[in-house]
Short mmCIF file of all heavy atoms in Angstrom, two decimals:
data_model
loop_
_atom_site.label_atom_id
_atom_site.label_comp_id
_atom_site.label_asym_id
_atom_site.label_seq_id
_atom_site.Cartn_x
_atom_site.Cartn_y
_atom_site.Cartn_z
N SER A 23 5.77 2.27 -19.21
CA SER A 23 4.51 3.01 -19.29
C SER A 23 4.39 3.81 -20.58
O SER A 23 3.29 4.22 -20.95
CB SER A 23 4.36 3.93 -18.09
OG SER A 23 5.29 4.99 -18.15
N GLY A 39 4.20 6.89 -26.37
CA GLY A 39 4.34 8.17 -25.68
C GLY A 39 3.36 8.29 -24.52
O GLY A 39 3.28 7.42 -23.66
N LEU A 40 2.60 9.36 -24.52
CA LEU A 40 1.64 9.60 -23.45
C LEU A 40 0.28 8.98 -23.74
O LEU A 40 -0.69 9.24 -23.02
CB LEU A 40 1.48 11.10 -23.21
CG LEU A 40 2.74 11.82 -22.71
CD1 LEU A 40 2.50 13.32 -22.63
CD2 LEU A 40 3.17 11.28 -21.37
N GLY A 41 0.18 8.15 -24.76
CA GLY A 41 -1.09 7.53 -25.14
C GLY A 41 -1.70 6.68 -24.04
O GLY A 41 -2.92 6.70 -23.84
N ASN A 42 -0.88 5.94 -23.33
CA ASN A 42 -1.39 5.12 -22.22
C ASN A 42 -2.00 5.99 -21.12
O ASN A 42 -3.04 5.66 -20.55
CB ASN A 42 -0.28 4.25 -21.64
CG ASN A 42 0.12 3.15 -22.57
OD1 ASN A 42 -0.65 2.71 -23.41
ND2 ASN A 42 1.36 2.68 -22.43
N PHE A 43 -1.36 7.12 -20.84
CA PHE A 43 -1.86 8.01 -19.80
C PHE A 43 -3.14 8.71 -20.26
O PHE A 43 -4.06 8.93 -19.46
CB PHE A 43 -0.80 9.03 -19.41
CG PHE A 43 0.42 8.40 -18.82
CD1 PHE A 43 1.58 8.23 -19.57
CD2 PHE A 43 0.41 7.94 -17.51
CE1 PHE A 43 2.70 7.65 -19.02
CE2 PHE A 43 1.53 7.35 -16.95
CZ PHE A 43 2.67 7.19 -17.71
N ARG A 44 -3.22 9.05 -21.54
CA ARG A 44 -4.43 9.66 -22.09
C ARG A 44 -5.60 8.68 -21.97
O ARG A 44 -6.71 9.05 -21.56
CB ARG A 44 -4.20 10.03 -23.56
CG ARG A 44 -5.30 10.86 -24.15
CD ARG A 44 -5.00 11.29 -25.59
NE ARG A 44 -3.70 11.94 -25.72
CZ ARG A 44 -2.68 11.46 -26.43
NH1 ARG A 44 -2.80 10.31 -27.08
NH2 ARG A 44 -1.54 12.10 -26.48
N THR A 45 -5.37 7.42 -22.30
CA THR A 45 -6.41 6.40 -22.18
C THR A 45 -6.82 6.22 -20.72
O THR A 45 -8.01 6.06 -20.41
CB THR A 45 -5.89 5.06 -22.74
OG1 THR A 45 -5.47 5.24 -24.08
CG2 THR A 45 -6.95 3.99 -22.68
N LEU A 46 -5.87 6.27 -19.84
CA LEU A 46 -6.14 6.12 -18.41
C LEU A 46 -7.02 7.25 -17.89
O LEU A 46 -7.99 7.02 -17.15
CB LEU A 46 -4.81 6.09 -17.65
CG LEU A 46 -4.85 5.77 -16.17
CD1 LEU A 46 -5.22 4.31 -15.98
CD2 LEU A 46 -3.51 6.05 -15.54
N VAL A 47 -6.73 8.48 -18.28
CA VAL A 47 -7.48 9.64 -17.80
C VAL A 47 -8.89 9.64 -18.37
O VAL A 47 -9.84 10.07 -17.72
CB VAL A 47 -6.73 10.94 -18.17
CG1 VAL A 47 -7.59 12.16 -17.93
CG2 VAL A 47 -5.45 11.05 -17.38
N GLN A 48 -9.08 9.12 -19.58
CA GLN A 48 -10.39 9.13 -20.23
C GLN A 48 -11.28 7.97 -19.78
O GLN A 48 -12.47 7.97 -20.08
CB GLN A 48 -10.23 9.08 -21.75
CG GLN A 48 -9.59 10.33 -22.30
CD GLN A 48 -9.25 10.20 -23.77
OE1 GLN A 48 -9.33 9.12 -24.35
NE2 GLN A 48 -8.87 11.31 -24.38
N ASN A 49 -10.74 7.01 -19.05
CA ASN A 49 -11.50 5.84 -18.63
C ASN A 49 -12.27 6.15 -17.35
O ASN A 49 -11.70 6.50 -16.33
CB ASN A 49 -10.55 4.66 -18.40
CG ASN A 49 -11.27 3.36 -18.22
OD1 ASN A 49 -12.47 3.32 -17.98
ND2 ASN A 49 -10.53 2.28 -18.35
N SER A 50 -13.60 6.00 -17.39
CA SER A 50 -14.42 6.32 -16.22
C SER A 50 -14.23 5.31 -15.10
O SER A 50 -14.41 5.64 -13.92
CB SER A 50 -15.90 6.39 -16.61
OG SER A 50 -16.35 5.11 -17.04
N THR A 51 -13.85 4.10 -15.41
CA THR A 51 -13.62 3.09 -14.38
C THR A 51 -12.45 3.50 -13.48
O THR A 51 -12.48 3.24 -12.27
CB THR A 51 -13.34 1.72 -15.03
OG1 THR A 51 -14.41 1.41 -15.91
CG2 THR A 51 -13.21 0.64 -14.00
N VAL A 52 -11.46 4.12 -14.04
CA VAL A 52 -10.30 4.56 -13.26
C VAL A 52 -10.73 5.62 -12.25
O VAL A 52 -10.32 5.58 -11.08
CB VAL A 52 -9.20 5.11 -14.20
CG1 VAL A 52 -8.09 5.78 -13.40
CG2 VAL A 52 -8.64 4.00 -15.06
N TRP A 53 -11.55 6.55 -12.69
CA TRP A 53 -12.01 7.60 -11.78
C TRP A 53 -12.90 7.03 -10.68
O TRP A 53 -12.83 7.47 -9.53
CB TRP A 53 -12.72 8.71 -12.55
CG TRP A 53 -11.78 9.45 -13.43
CD1 TRP A 53 -11.69 9.37 -14.78
CD2 TRP A 53 -10.74 10.33 -13.00
NE1 TRP A 53 -10.67 10.17 -15.23
CE2 TRP A 53 -10.06 10.77 -14.16
CE3 TRP A 53 -10.31 10.79 -11.77
CZ2 TRP A 53 -8.99 11.65 -14.10
CZ3 TRP A 53 -9.24 11.68 -11.72
CH2 TRP A 53 -8.59 12.10 -12.88
N THR A 54 -13.73 6.04 -11.02
CA THR A 54 -14.56 5.38 -10.00
C THR A 54 -13.68 4.66 -8.98
O THR A 54 -13.91 4.75 -7.77
CB THR A 54 -15.53 4.39 -10.67
OG1 THR A 54 -16.33 5.09 -11.61
CG2 THR A 54 -16.42 3.73 -9.65
N ALA A 55 -12.68 3.95 -9.46
CA ALA A 55 -11.77 3.24 -8.56
C ALA A 55 -10.99 4.22 -7.68
O ALA A 55 -10.79 3.96 -6.48
CB ALA A 55 -10.81 2.38 -9.36
N LEU A 56 -10.58 5.33 -8.24
CA LEU A 56 -9.86 6.34 -7.47
C LEU A 56 -10.76 6.94 -6.39
O LEU A 56 -10.33 7.11 -5.24
CB LEU A 56 -9.35 7.44 -8.40
CG LEU A 56 -8.43 8.48 -7.80
CD1 LEU A 56 -7.15 7.84 -7.29
CD2 LEU A 56 -8.11 9.55 -8.82
N TRP A 57 -12.01 7.22 -6.73
CA TRP A 57 -12.96 7.75 -5.74
C TRP A 57 -13.21 6.72 -4.64
O TRP A 57 -13.22 7.07 -3.45
CB TRP A 57 -14.26 8.14 -6.42
CG TRP A 57 -15.32 8.53 -5.45
CD1 TRP A 57 -16.43 7.82 -5.11
CD2 TRP A 57 -15.36 9.71 -4.64
NE1 TRP A 57 -17.15 8.48 -4.16
CE2 TRP A 57 -16.52 9.65 -3.85
CE3 TRP A 57 -14.52 10.79 -4.51
CZ2 TRP A 57 -16.85 10.63 -2.94
CZ3 TRP A 57 -14.85 11.79 -3.60
CH2 TRP A 57 -16.02 11.70 -2.84
#
Side-chain angles (χ1 to χ4, degrees):
S23 69
L40 296 175
N42 289 335
F43 297 102
R44 190 177 307 116
T45 304
L46 187 70
V47 169
Q48 293 172 350
N49 191 344
S50 64
T51 305
V52 171
W53 293 107
T54 302
L56 187 62
W57 173 252

